[in-house]
């Protein structure tokens, strides 16, 4: 779907914008205030066509990262947005960046989720229609057989 490609491009552009803002802030801070939050956009081998993930992480030493959990919504499903508490201890500038970018990432996750639901429902409708066609063909064949035997 072309819309998923547009969403993926938007997510990557937003990630780049966040990363540039984060690096600019880090350079202007003393080592104890440099922060450790990052974000990635990726497609996985198990994802459906065009589906991607937008994930926040915390750097924990050289080449070690901990991906943060989004938590669950009121219905028990994985939420489409990260709560600020999921990030743990934050510097003030990290908090400001997260509050600026996470709502935009959450909107992209939500749109992608809706597209996934539409795809699933479309697939299920196709399955029902195929079964209906199969049953109708079987019924016509049975009617033909009954008429032939009469």
């Amino acid at each position: 779907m072309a819309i998923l490609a547009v969403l993926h491009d938007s997510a990557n552009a937003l990630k780049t914008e966040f990363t540039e803002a984060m690096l600019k802030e880090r350079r202007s801070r003393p080592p104890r205030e440099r922060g450790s939050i990052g974000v990635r956009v990726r497609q996985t081998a198990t994802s459906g066509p065009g589906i991607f993930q937008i994930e926040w992480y915390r750097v924990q030493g050289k080449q070690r990262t901990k991906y943060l959990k989004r938590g669950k919504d009121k219905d028990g499903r994985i939420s489409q947005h990260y709560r600020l508490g999921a990030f743990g201890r934050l510097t003030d500038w990290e908090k400001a960046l997260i509050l600026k970018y996470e709502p935009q990432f959450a909107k992209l996750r939500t749109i992608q989720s809706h597209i996934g639901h539409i795809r699933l429902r479309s697939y299920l409708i196709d399955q029902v229609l195929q079964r209906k066609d199969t049953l109708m063909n079987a019924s016509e064949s049975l009617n033909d057989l009954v008429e032939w035997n009469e």
Side-chain angles (χ1 to χ4, degrees):
M1 290 180 95
I3 185 73
L4 288 173
V6 170
L7 290 175
H8 189 258
D9 290 346
S10 296
N12 275 321
L14 201 55
K15 177 194 79 163
T16 299
E17 186 180 314
F18 166 81
T19 301
E20 289 171 357
M22 184 265 303
L23 290 173
K24 181 180 176 185
E25 281 290 332
R26 280 182 60 108
R27 285 186 211 106
S28 69
R29 305 288 174 167
R32 70 184 191 300
E33 294 179 18
R34 289 207 177 139
S36 60
I37 297 295
V39 67
R40 79 171 176 183
V41 176
R42 72 179 181 128
Q43 290 181 287
T44 65
T46 58
S47 297
I51 300 296
F52 58 93
Q53 297 174 339
I54 303 169
E55 303 169 305
W56 289 96
Y57 62 88
R58 178 176 291 285
V59 175
Q60 296 184 317
K62 286 190 174 185
Q63 298 184 358
R64 286 188 51 223
T65 56
K66 177 184 177 189
Y67 287 89
L68 307 177
K69 294 184 180 182
R70 282 185 277 166
K72 298 194 176 185
D73 65 13
K74 64 181 184 230
D75 298 322
R77 295 180 302 245
I78 293 177
S79 177
Q80 296 303 326
H81 71 280
Y82 286 80
R83 291 179 177 81
L84 207 50
F87 292 90
R89 184 186 295 169
L90 296 168
T91 63
D92 290 340
W93 66 265
E94 281 180 306
K95 186 176 181 180
L97 284 176
I98 290 165
L99 290 173
K100 177 180 178 182
Y101 288 96
E102 173 51 20
Q104 297 174 72
F105 285 128
K107 187 180 289 186
L108 294 173
R109 284 187 212 100
T110 300
I111 293 168
Q112 183 174 237
S113 176
H114 289 311
I115 290 169
H117 286 103
I118 291 167
R119 276 183 168 176
L120 176 60
R121 283 171 177 76
S122 175
Y123 170 78
L124 293 173
I125 289 168
D126 285 346
Q127 294 298 306
V128 168
L129 292 175
Q130 286 177 10
R131 286 186 190 127
K132 180 182 173 190
D133 288 345
T134 301
L135 289 173
M136 287 181 71
N137 290 338
S139 176
E140 288 172 7
S141 296
L142 185 59
N143 286 338
D144 291 345
L145 183 62
V146 169
E147 288 175 7
W148 184 73
N149 283 331
E150 290 180 346

